[in-house]
Amino acid sequence: MEQAKYIKTSRGGRKLLCKGFSFTINRKFKGGIVSWKCTKYKQFKCHARIVTKLVDDVDYIKISKPHHTHLPDFQCKTNRNEPYVELDYE
């Protein structure tokens, strides 16, 4: 499983980065499980989702809905160094 990478937002929150896309917290569950939705959810009606689980003080990623309705945002300076990964778009 892949380890989660986060960045700090301008408002002091955090975003999850994965394969050139960014995600915001959607819902928190018991046991250190957090559901994340794509930050372009409203703009592009993107339903891509990721779930993170805290195991031994490390957050791990599980991509629950991998398909985005838009291209990755490599304009974001935190994503410029991430490798481009070809994904299926609907």
Side-chain angles (χ1 to χ4, degrees):
M1 290 200 324
E2 186 178 343
Q3 192 171 344
K5 290 188 239 174
Y6 301 100
I7 60 168
K8 195 173 208 176
T9 66
S10 59
R11 293 183 170 183
R14 65 180 178 163
K15 284 185 183 178
L16 172 68
L17 296 180
C18 182
K19 296 179 177 32
F21 297 99
S22 59
F23 296 81
T24 57
I25 292 176
N26 185 44
R27 193 168 176 198
K28 293 182 180 181
F29 299 94
K30 292 180 182 178
I33 297 172
V34 180
S35 171
W36 300 78
K37 67 180 177 181
C38 181
T39 56
K40 305 286 185 181
Y41 174 77
K42 287 183 182 177
Q43 185 179 2
F44 293 104
K45 296 182 179 168
C46 185
H47 293 281
R49 295 282 194 275
I50 287 181
V51 176
T52 57
K53 183 173 182 175
L54 185 64
V55 178
D56 297 327
D57 294 327
V58 177
D59 279 330
Y60 290 99
I61 292 175
K62 178 185 178 206
I63 301 173
S64 56
K65 292 185 180 180
H67 301 291
H68 289 266
T69 58
H70 55 94
L71 295 173
D73 181 15
F74 285 102
Q75 300 300 317
C76 177
K77 60 182 166 181
T78 56
N79 284 337
R80 286 184 192 150
N81 295 328
E82 287 206 12
Y84 179 77
V85 176
E86 195 67 44
L87 299 173
D88 296 331
Y89 298 100
E90 293 181 0

